[in-house]
Amino acid sequence: MTSELIIDVKPKEISIALLEDKNLVEYQREARSASFSVGNIYIAKVKKLMPGLNACFVDVGHERDAFLHYLDLGSQYCSYEKYLKQVLSDRKKLYPFAKAQRLPDLKKDGSVQNTLKTGQEILVQIVKEPISTKGPRLTGELSFAGRFLVLMPFGDKVSISSKIKSGEERARLKQLIHSIKPANCGVIVRTVAEGKRVAELDAEMKVLAKRWEDAIVKVQKIQKRPQLVFEETSRAVALLRDLFNQSYANIYVNDEDVYQEIKDYVTLIAPEKANIVKLYTGKVPIFDNFNVTKQIKSSFGKTVNYRHGAYMIIEHTEAMHVVDVNSGNRTKSENGQEQNALETNLGAADELARQLRLRDMGGIIVVDFIDMNLAEDRQLLYERMCKNMQKDRARHNILPLSKFGLMQITRQRVRPAMDVNVEETCPTCNGTGKIKSSILFTDTLEGKIDRLVNKIGIKSFTLYVHPYVAAYINSGMISLKRRWQLKYGLGVHVVASQKLALLQYEFYDSKRQFIDMKEEIENKLL
């Protein structure tokens, strides 16, 4: 299996697609201005205590207050509280963390009203992004994740990943980490650390310790509350940190700054693979070039088609996700209805495992498979689903089929499920059903070009249109595009984009900045 990472960087958002053997398996998209990400650490204020829930609401600067349960304060909360007071007592000289005192663990049967006070300042880390009407979910047990290690201030243990089976290797790693870890810190050793040399682990340990020190320095110096004191690495780098392995064949990026950031990171963690990071400079949109756009449009939406005419209906509700498997117009098997149901269900299990990763669906997922009479077929389906889910990084639990033919799956949810609207509203009529004559569309485009060149003064730009329209503009010995270039200059470029609807268009200048050419915007420009 070969993996490729395609990163599409736009002025307002960044999209990341992970391909395995050219098939899209993970897709993430976020606004570049988004400030709430799992792993971010804030110095925040307790807003309201909720004794009935044994929890509190915390102001971290989000429109909705974040939620912090008493048990999520962490066993070392008392140590954090005392050290925070020591840090804030002197704004000029930082109290050394190595001298910080570790206090007894927080009582598990304690109450929030006896531990926290309204208006109190605390250090918290986001563990779940805002989802639907809920604010972020917080923890008081801070951690700094690297590729090989996770550093936990005030921790007292060195834990080894359970996936490292060799007793000799576990003992080696434990002894090694004890010799290099900072004082007052616990460490979790991740699976990829197996077989790594002390120099590599020590280098990452120092980086993680520096992040914790920098966060404390910000807490000491910044007066404003709430305030971000540690920002998790960008989504692209975070994905690489968790997923990178030797199967990665290529990483394509269409933005020079992000390219350099990823190149530096890969050079740091795997110098021999640094040449797989490539800057994409083609005129065709990067997702179109690698067939990602088409896969996104065919994979999202309510109905998902898969093998031989069978399909799934995926519904999202507030409480859970519901999946219904249908055989559709699938040709019946020669071996009868039972075999036909088994084949359809096995295909659904393959596609569903991909859909869970692709949409990042979390919480409770209930799947209504086609009924099967034989117990061995139901067991085969359960085993197939478990095998398919082994590639999923999110924690999950799968129950065998119930007597009603339902399979229940729980999957870790840390951010909202990815929902991509694949239906296109006509950009010309805005759903009214009436548009100007389509034969005059190119005349409209020429009018926009004329305004750009002669009135606004933008001589070099790229016009993105639907592939059918692009084919029409580029057709003929002396194409419409060529005539535009002769009339308005060689700075006029026309590129096909699969994401656009038929009569939709977008203008970008030479610096890849979007130019809004709607009528009301043009009037303001003029």
Side-chain angles (χ1 to χ4, degrees), residues 71-83 101-107 140-142 152-157 184 186:
L71 294 177
D72 290 331
L73 282 170
S75 58
Q76 297 302 321
Y77 168 73
C78 299
S79 303
Y80 275 110
E81 183 187 25
K82 182 171 182 178
Y83 182 57
Q101 184 180 359
R102 289 187 72 256
L103 300 178
D105 290 358
L106 188 71
K107 295 180 179 179
E141 200 162 8
L142 310 185
M152 305 183 73
F154 288 114
D156 60 346
K157 294 180 181 178
N184 282 334

PDB file of all heavy atoms in Angstrom, residues 71-83 101-107 140-142 152-157 184 186:
ATOM      1  N   LEU A  71     -13.597  15.483  37.264  1.00  0.00           N
ATOM      2  CA  LEU A  71     -12.659  14.378  37.035  1.00  0.00           C
ATOM      3  C   LEU A  71     -11.661  14.679  35.926  1.00  0.00           C
ATOM      4  O   LEU A  71     -10.625  14.023  35.830  1.00  0.00           O
ATOM      5  CB  LEU A  71     -13.438  13.094  36.718  1.00  0.00           C
ATOM      6  CG  LEU A  71     -14.298  12.531  37.850  1.00  0.00           C
ATOM      7  CD1 LEU A  71     -15.069  11.310  37.383  1.00  0.00           C
ATOM      8  CD2 LEU A  71     -13.429  12.191  39.077  1.00  0.00           C
ATOM      9  N   ASP A  72     -11.995  15.663  35.072  1.00  0.00           N
ATOM     10  CA  ASP A  72     -11.077  16.039  33.991  1.00  0.00           C
ATOM     11  C   ASP A  72     -10.025  17.047  34.440  1.00  0.00           C
ATOM     12  O   ASP A  72      -9.161  17.437  33.647  1.00  0.00           O
ATOM     13  CB  ASP A  72     -11.858  16.620  32.799  1.00  0.00           C
ATOM     14  CG  ASP A  72     -12.681  15.565  32.085  1.00  0.00           C
ATOM     15  OD1 ASP A  72     -12.262  14.389  32.104  1.00  0.00           O
ATOM     16  OD2 ASP A  72     -13.744  15.906  31.515  1.00  0.00           O
ATOM     17  N   LEU A  73     -10.103  17.490  35.691  1.00  0.00           N
ATOM     18  CA  LEU A  73      -9.074  18.390  36.205  1.00  0.00           C
ATOM     19  C   LEU A  73      -7.715  17.698  36.235  1.00  0.00           C
ATOM     20  O   LEU A  73      -6.671  18.344  36.155  1.00  0.00           O
ATOM     21  CB  LEU A  73      -9.435  18.863  37.620  1.00  0.00           C
ATOM     22  CG  LEU A  73     -10.487  19.976  37.712  1.00  0.00           C
ATOM     23  CD1 LEU A  73     -10.910  20.165  39.162  1.00  0.00           C
ATOM     24  CD2 LEU A  73      -9.935  21.276  37.154  1.00  0.00           C
ATOM     25  N   GLY A  74      -7.726  16.371  36.341  1.00  0.00           N
ATOM     26  CA  GLY A  74      -6.477  15.608  36.369  1.00  0.00           C
ATOM     27  C   GLY A  74      -5.995  15.378  37.785  1.00  0.00           C
ATOM     28  O   GLY A  74      -6.226  16.196  38.689  1.00  0.00           O
ATOM     29  N   SER A  75      -5.305  14.276  37.971  1.00  0.00           N
ATOM     30  CA  SER A  75      -4.860  13.912  39.322  1.00  0.00           C
ATOM     31  C   SER A  75      -3.837  14.901  39.872  1.00  0.00           C
ATOM     32  O   SER A  75      -3.691  15.048  41.079  1.00  0.00           O
ATOM     33  CB  SER A  75      -4.274  12.486  39.308  1.00  0.00           C
ATOM     34  OG  SER A  75      -3.185  12.415  38.391  1.00  0.00           O
ATOM     35  N   GLN A  76      -3.122  15.626  38.982  1.00  0.00           N
ATOM     36  CA  GLN A  76      -2.075  16.540  39.436  1.00  0.00           C
ATOM     37  C   GLN A  76      -2.545  17.997  39.490  1.00  0.00           C
ATOM     38  O   GLN A  76      -1.728  18.920  39.450  1.00  0.00           O
ATOM     39  CB  GLN A  76      -0.858  16.418  38.504  1.00  0.00           C
ATOM     40  CG  GLN A  76      -0.210  15.049  38.503  1.00  0.00           C
ATOM     41  CD  GLN A  76       0.238  14.631  39.896  1.00  0.00           C
ATOM     42  OE1 GLN A  76       0.734  15.459  40.666  1.00  0.00           O
ATOM     43  NE2 GLN A  76       0.043  13.355  40.222  1.00  0.00           N
ATOM     44  N   TYR A  77      -3.858  18.219  39.585  1.00  0.00           N
ATOM     45  CA  TYR A  77      -4.380  19.585  39.577  1.00  0.00           C
ATOM     46  C   TYR A  77      -3.786  20.434  40.714  1.00  0.00           C
ATOM     47  O   TYR A  77      -3.442  21.605  40.518  1.00  0.00           O
ATOM     48  CB  TYR A  77      -5.904  19.582  39.689  1.00  0.00           C
ATOM     49  CG  TYR A  77      -6.443  20.963  39.975  1.00  0.00           C
ATOM     50  CD1 TYR A  77      -6.462  21.938  38.986  1.00  0.00           C
ATOM     51  CD2 TYR A  77      -6.876  21.318  41.261  1.00  0.00           C
ATOM     52  CE1 TYR A  77      -6.911  23.224  39.258  1.00  0.00           C
ATOM     53  CE2 TYR A  77      -7.321  22.598  41.539  1.00  0.00           C
ATOM     54  CZ  TYR A  77      -7.345  23.548  40.533  1.00  0.00           C
ATOM     55  OH  TYR A  77      -7.761  24.815  40.802  1.00  0.00           O
ATOM     56  N   CYS A  78      -3.644  19.855  41.899  1.00  0.00           N
ATOM     57  CA  CYS A  78      -3.123  20.618  43.049  1.00  0.00           C
ATOM     58  C   CYS A  78      -1.707  21.120  42.774  1.00  0.00           C
ATOM     59  O   CYS A  78      -1.343  22.249  43.137  1.00  0.00           O
ATOM     60  CB  CYS A  78      -3.142  19.752  44.311  1.00  0.00           C
ATOM     61  SG  CYS A  78      -4.807  19.218  44.776  1.00  0.00           S
ATOM     62  N   SER A  79      -0.899  20.281  42.107  1.00  0.00           N
ATOM     63  CA  SER A  79       0.474  20.683  41.764  1.00  0.00           C
ATOM     64  C   SER A  79       0.454  21.828  40.760  1.00  0.00           C
ATOM     65  O   SER A  79       1.221  22.793  40.884  1.00  0.00           O
ATOM     66  CB  SER A  79       1.238  19.486  41.182  1.00  0.00           C
ATOM     67  OG  SER A  79       1.249  18.404  42.090  1.00  0.00           O
ATOM     68  N   TYR A  80      -0.425  21.739  39.758  1.00  0.00           N
ATOM     69  CA  TYR A  80      -0.556  22.804  38.763  1.00  0.00           C
ATOM     70  C   TYR A  80      -0.983  24.121  39.422  1.00  0.00           C
ATOM     71  O   TYR A  80      -0.458  25.190  39.117  1.00  0.00           O
ATOM     72  CB  TYR A  80      -1.594  22.427  37.701  1.00  0.00           C
ATOM     73  CG  TYR A  80      -1.056  21.584  36.562  1.00  0.00           C
ATOM     74  CD1 TYR A  80      -1.414  20.257  36.426  1.00  0.00           C
ATOM     75  CD2 TYR A  80      -0.206  22.146  35.617  1.00  0.00           C
ATOM     76  CE1 TYR A  80      -0.935  19.479  35.379  1.00  0.00           C
ATOM     77  CE2 TYR A  80       0.280  21.382  34.563  1.00  0.00           C
ATOM     78  CZ  TYR A  80      -0.086  20.048  34.452  1.00  0.00           C
ATOM     79  OH  TYR A  80       0.400  19.293  33.405  1.00  0.00           O
ATOM     80  N   GLU A  81      -1.957  24.018  40.332  1.00  0.00           N
ATOM     81  CA  GLU A  81      -2.488  25.210  40.975  1.00  0.00           C
ATOM     82  C   GLU A  81      -1.400  25.938  41.767  1.00  0.00           C
ATOM     83  O   GLU A  81      -1.245  27.170  41.668  1.00  0.00           O
ATOM     84  CB  GLU A  81      -3.642  24.839  41.906  1.00  0.00           C
ATOM     85  CG  GLU A  81      -4.296  26.044  42.566  1.00  0.00           C
ATOM     86  CD  GLU A  81      -5.331  25.628  43.613  1.00  0.00           C
ATOM     87  OE1 GLU A  81      -5.212  24.510  44.159  1.00  0.00           O
ATOM     88  OE2 GLU A  81      -6.235  26.424  43.876  1.00  0.00           O
ATOM     89  N   LYS A  82      -0.611  25.187  42.550  1.00  0.00           N
ATOM     90  CA  LYS A  82       0.438  25.806  43.350  1.00  0.00           C
ATOM     91  C   LYS A  82       1.517  26.414  42.459  1.00  0.00           C
ATOM     92  O   LYS A  82       1.979  27.541  42.699  1.00  0.00           O
ATOM     93  CB  LYS A  82       1.046  24.775  44.307  1.00  0.00           C
ATOM     94  CG  LYS A  82       2.124  25.385  45.201  1.00  0.00           C
ATOM     95  CD  LYS A  82       2.580  24.429  46.286  1.00  0.00           C
ATOM     96  CE  LYS A  82       3.609  25.115  47.182  1.00  0.00           C
ATOM     97  NZ  LYS A  82       4.058  24.248  48.274  1.00  0.00           N
ATOM     98  N   TYR A  83       1.917  25.684  41.403  1.00  0.00           N
ATOM     99  CA  TYR A  83       2.976  26.188  40.512  1.00  0.00           C
ATOM    100  C   TYR A  83       2.506  27.441  39.777  1.00  0.00           C
ATOM    101  O   TYR A  83       3.279  28.383  39.577  1.00  0.00           O
ATOM    102  CB  TYR A  83       3.394  25.101  39.520  1.00  0.00           C
ATOM    103  CG  TYR A  83       4.516  25.537  38.599  1.00  0.00           C
ATOM    104  CD1 TYR A  83       5.732  25.978  39.114  1.00  0.00           C
ATOM    105  CD2 TYR A  83       4.346  25.528  37.219  1.00  0.00           C
ATOM    106  CE1 TYR A  83       6.767  26.387  38.278  1.00  0.00           C
ATOM    107  CE2 TYR A  83       5.368  25.935  36.378  1.00  0.00           C
ATOM    108  CZ  TYR A  83       6.578  26.363  36.911  1.00  0.00           C
ATOM    109  OH  TYR A  83       7.598  26.787  36.078  1.00  0.00           O
ATOM    110  N   GLN A 101       6.935  21.793  43.389  1.00  0.00           N
ATOM    111  CA  GLN A 101       6.618  20.702  44.321  1.00  0.00           C
ATOM    112  C   GLN A 101       5.439  19.887  43.806  1.00  0.00           C
ATOM    113  O   GLN A 101       4.422  20.438  43.381  1.00  0.00           O
ATOM    114  CB  GLN A 101       6.281  21.284  45.698  1.00  0.00           C
ATOM    115  CG  GLN A 101       6.035  20.226  46.766  1.00  0.00           C
ATOM    116  CD  GLN A 101       5.695  20.856  48.105  1.00  0.00           C
ATOM    117  OE1 GLN A 101       5.673  22.080  48.229  1.00  0.00           O
ATOM    118  NE2 GLN A 101       5.431  20.033  49.106  1.00  0.00           N
ATOM    119  N   ARG A 102       5.586  18.572  43.803  1.00  0.00           N
ATOM    120  CA  ARG A 102       4.480  17.675  43.437  1.00  0.00           C
ATOM    121  C   ARG A 102       3.657  17.392  44.684  1.00  0.00           C
ATOM    122  O   ARG A 102       4.153  16.836  45.656  1.00  0.00           O
ATOM    123  CB  ARG A 102       4.995  16.382  42.822  1.00  0.00           C
ATOM    124  CG  ARG A 102       5.582  16.542  41.433  1.00  0.00           C
ATOM    125  CD  ARG A 102       5.938  15.211  40.782  1.00  0.00           C
ATOM    126  NE  ARG A 102       4.737  14.481  40.385  1.00  0.00           N
ATOM    127  CZ  ARG A 102       4.228  13.438  41.022  1.00  0.00           C
ATOM    128  NH1 ARG A 102       4.791  12.982  42.118  1.00  0.00           N
ATOM    129  NH2 ARG A 102       3.145  12.844  40.577  1.00  0.00           N
ATOM    130  N   LEU A 103       2.394  17.775  44.631  1.00  0.00           N
ATOM    131  CA  LEU A 103       1.489  17.582  45.763  1.00  0.00           C
ATOM    132  C   LEU A 103       0.698  16.288  45.597  1.00  0.00           C
ATOM    133  O   LEU A 103       0.661  15.703  44.507  1.00  0.00           O
ATOM    134  CB  LEU A 103       0.540  18.778  45.864  1.00  0.00           C
ATOM    135  CG  LEU A 103       1.222  20.145  46.077  1.00  0.00           C
ATOM    136  CD1 LEU A 103       0.176  21.256  46.113  1.00  0.00           C
ATOM    137  CD2 LEU A 103       2.051  20.140  47.355  1.00  0.00           C
ATOM    138  N   PRO A 104       0.032  15.822  46.657  1.00  0.00           N
ATOM    139  CA  PRO A 104      -0.774  14.591  46.552  1.00  0.00           C
ATOM    140  C   PRO A 104      -1.844  14.710  45.464  1.00  0.00           C
ATOM    141  O   PRO A 104      -2.295  15.802  45.120  1.00  0.00           O
ATOM    142  CB  PRO A 104      -1.413  14.475  47.947  1.00  0.00           C
ATOM    143  CG  PRO A 104      -0.489  15.229  48.850  1.00  0.00           C
ATOM    144  CD  PRO A 104       0.055  16.353  48.037  1.00  0.00           C
ATOM    145  N   ASP A 105      -2.250  13.565  44.940  1.00  0.00           N
ATOM    146  CA  ASP A 105      -3.240  13.534  43.860  1.00  0.00           C
ATOM    147  C   ASP A 105      -4.577  14.127  44.309  1.00  0.00           C
ATOM    148  O   ASP A 105      -4.939  14.061  45.498  1.00  0.00           O
ATOM    149  CB  ASP A 105      -3.471  12.094  43.386  1.00  0.00           C
ATOM    150  CG  ASP A 105      -2.275  11.543  42.631  1.00  0.00           C
ATOM    151  OD1 ASP A 105      -1.295  12.298  42.450  1.00  0.00           O
ATOM    152  OD2 ASP A 105      -2.319  10.363  42.223  1.00  0.00           O
ATOM    153  N   LEU A 106      -5.287  14.683  43.352  1.00  0.00           N
ATOM    154  CA  LEU A 106      -6.631  15.215  43.608  1.00  0.00           C
ATOM    155  C   LEU A 106      -7.574  14.059  43.960  1.00  0.00           C
ATOM    156  O   LEU A 106      -7.554  13.006  43.317  1.00  0.00           O
ATOM    157  CB  LEU A 106      -7.137  15.935  42.350  1.00  0.00           C
ATOM    158  CG  LEU A 106      -8.437  16.722  42.484  1.00  0.00           C
ATOM    159  CD1 LEU A 106      -8.208  17.975  43.326  1.00  0.00           C
ATOM    160  CD2 LEU A 106      -8.949  17.111  41.095  1.00  0.00           C
ATOM    161  N   LYS A 107      -8.407  14.248  44.966  1.00  0.00           N
ATOM    162  CA  LYS A 107      -9.332  13.188  45.382  1.00  0.00           C
ATOM    163  C   LYS A 107     -10.377  12.935  44.304  1.00  0.00           C
ATOM    164  O   LYS A 107     -10.990  13.872  43.776  1.00  0.00           O
ATOM    165  CB  LYS A 107     -10.035  13.584  46.691  1.00  0.00           C
ATOM    166  CG  LYS A 107      -9.096  13.693  47.880  1.00  0.00           C
ATOM    167  CD  LYS A 107      -9.861  14.084  49.138  1.00  0.00           C
ATOM    168  CE  LYS A 107      -8.932  14.182  50.333  1.00  0.00           C
ATOM    169  NZ  LYS A 107      -9.674  14.590  51.565  1.00  0.00           N
ATOM    170  N   GLY A 140      -7.653  19.417  32.497  1.00  0.00           N
ATOM    171  CA  GLY A 140      -6.605  20.115  33.238  1.00  0.00           C
ATOM    172  C   GLY A 140      -5.307  19.329  33.253  1.00  0.00           C
ATOM    173  O   GLY A 140      -4.307  19.756  33.812  1.00  0.00           O
ATOM    174  N   GLU A 141      -5.321  18.143  32.615  1.00  0.00           N
ATOM    175  CA  GLU A 141      -4.125  17.295  32.551  1.00  0.00           C
ATOM    176  C   GLU A 141      -3.425  17.584  31.225  1.00  0.00           C
ATOM    177  O   GLU A 141      -3.794  17.035  30.187  1.00  0.00           O
ATOM    178  CB  GLU A 141      -4.537  15.827  32.654  1.00  0.00           C
ATOM    179  CG  GLU A 141      -3.407  14.925  33.062  1.00  0.00           C
ATOM    180  CD  GLU A 141      -3.904  13.579  33.571  1.00  0.00           C
ATOM    181  OE1 GLU A 141      -5.108  13.315  33.462  1.00  0.00           O
ATOM    182  OE2 GLU A 141      -3.085  12.804  34.071  1.00  0.00           O
ATOM    183  N   LEU A 142      -2.442  18.458  31.244  1.00  0.00           N
ATOM    184  CA  LEU A 142      -1.803  18.937  30.028  1.00  0.00           C
ATOM    185  C   LEU A 142      -0.856  17.894  29.439  1.00  0.00           C
ATOM    186  O   LEU A 142      -0.225  17.120  30.181  1.00  0.00           O
ATOM    187  CB  LEU A 142      -1.030  20.226  30.308  1.00  0.00           C
ATOM    188  CG  LEU A 142      -1.782  21.344  31.044  1.00  0.00           C
ATOM    189  CD1 LEU A 142      -0.909  22.588  31.136  1.00  0.00           C
ATOM    190  CD2 LEU A 142      -3.103  21.663  30.359  1.00  0.00           C
ATOM    191  N   MET A 152       4.111  14.878  29.737  1.00  0.00           N
ATOM    192  CA  MET A 152       3.028  15.268  30.634  1.00  0.00           C
ATOM    193  C   MET A 152       3.613  15.908  31.890  1.00  0.00           C
ATOM    194  O   MET A 152       4.115  15.196  32.774  1.00  0.00           O
ATOM    195  CB  MET A 152       2.176  14.051  30.992  1.00  0.00           C
ATOM    196  CG  MET A 152       1.644  13.323  29.761  1.00  0.00           C
ATOM    197  SD  MET A 152       0.565  11.941  30.155  1.00  0.00           S
ATOM    198  CE  MET A 152      -0.892  12.805  30.707  1.00  0.00           C
ATOM    199  N   PRO A 153       3.595  17.257  31.959  1.00  0.00           N
ATOM    200  CA  PRO A 153       4.115  17.934  33.161  1.00  0.00           C
ATOM    201  C   PRO A 153       3.426  17.445  34.434  1.00  0.00           C
ATOM    202  O   PRO A 153       2.217  17.195  34.437  1.00  0.00           O
ATOM    203  CB  PRO A 153       3.788  19.407  32.887  1.00  0.00           C
ATOM    204  CG  PRO A 153       3.708  19.514  31.394  1.00  0.00           C
ATOM    205  CD  PRO A 153       3.132  18.207  30.935  1.00  0.00           C
ATOM    206  N   PHE A 154       4.194  17.317  35.493  1.00  0.00           N
ATOM    207  CA  PHE A 154       3.743  16.837  36.803  1.00  0.00           C
ATOM    208  C   PHE A 154       3.320  15.366  36.792  1.00  0.00           C
ATOM    209  O   PHE A 154       2.763  14.872  37.777  1.00  0.00           O
ATOM    210  CB  PHE A 154       2.625  17.709  37.373  1.00  0.00           C
ATOM    211  CG  PHE A 154       3.078  19.047  37.843  1.00  0.00           C
ATOM    212  CD1 PHE A 154       2.659  20.206  37.214  1.00  0.00           C
ATOM    213  CD2 PHE A 154       3.945  19.162  38.924  1.00  0.00           C
ATOM    214  CE1 PHE A 154       3.091  21.459  37.639  1.00  0.00           C
ATOM    215  CE2 PHE A 154       4.386  20.396  39.366  1.00  0.00           C
ATOM    216  CZ  PHE A 154       3.962  21.551  38.719  1.00  0.00           C
ATOM    217  N   GLY A 155       3.561  14.676  35.688  1.00  0.00           N
ATOM    218  CA  GLY A 155       3.311  13.235  35.680  1.00  0.00           C
ATOM    219  C   GLY A 155       4.414  12.522  36.442  1.00  0.00           C
ATOM    220  O   GLY A 155       5.486  13.073  36.697  1.00  0.00           O
ATOM    221  N   ASP A 156       4.186  11.273  36.819  1.00  0.00           N
ATOM    222  CA  ASP A 156       5.210  10.546  37.577  1.00  0.00           C
ATOM    223  C   ASP A 156       5.501   9.168  36.999  1.00  0.00           C
ATOM    224  O   ASP A 156       6.198   8.368  37.611  1.00  0.00           O
ATOM    225  CB  ASP A 156       4.772  10.404  39.038  1.00  0.00           C
ATOM    226  CG  ASP A 156       3.457   9.634  39.164  1.00  0.00           C
ATOM    227  OD1 ASP A 156       2.774   9.460  38.133  1.00  0.00           O
ATOM    228  OD2 ASP A 156       3.122   9.213  40.286  1.00  0.00           O
ATOM    229  N   LYS A 157       4.979   8.907  35.781  1.00  0.00           N
ATOM    230  CA  LYS A 157       5.155   7.572  35.217  1.00  0.00           C
ATOM    231  C   LYS A 157       5.763   7.645  33.823  1.00  0.00           C
ATOM    232  O   LYS A 157       5.621   8.643  33.118  1.00  0.00           O
ATOM    233  CB  LYS A 157       3.810   6.837  35.132  1.00  0.00           C
ATOM    234  CG  LYS A 157       3.167   6.518  36.464  1.00  0.00           C
ATOM    235  CD  LYS A 157       1.846   5.797  36.259  1.00  0.00           C
ATOM    236  CE  LYS A 157       1.166   5.478  37.575  1.00  0.00           C
ATOM    237  NZ  LYS A 157      -0.143   4.812  37.377  1.00  0.00           N
ATOM    238  N   ASN A 184      10.006  16.233  37.249  1.00  0.00           N
ATOM    239  CA  ASN A 184       8.574  16.541  37.425  1.00  0.00           C
ATOM    240  C   ASN A 184       7.738  16.265  36.177  1.00  0.00           C
ATOM    241  O   ASN A 184       6.701  16.897  35.979  1.00  0.00           O
ATOM    242  CB  ASN A 184       8.371  18.000  37.852  1.00  0.00           C
ATOM    243  CG  ASN A 184       8.672  18.213  39.321  1.00  0.00           C
ATOM    244  OD1 ASN A 184       8.569  17.282  40.119  1.00  0.00           O
ATOM    245  ND2 ASN A 184       9.063  19.414  39.676  1.00  0.00           N
ATOM    246  N   GLY A 186       6.034  13.251  33.402  1.00  0.00           N
ATOM    247  CA  GLY A 186       5.769  11.892  32.989  1.00  0.00           C
ATOM    248  C   GLY A 186       5.854  11.813  31.467  1.00  0.00           C
ATOM    249  O   GLY A 186       5.756  12.827  30.774  1.00  0.00           O
TER     250      GLY A 186
END
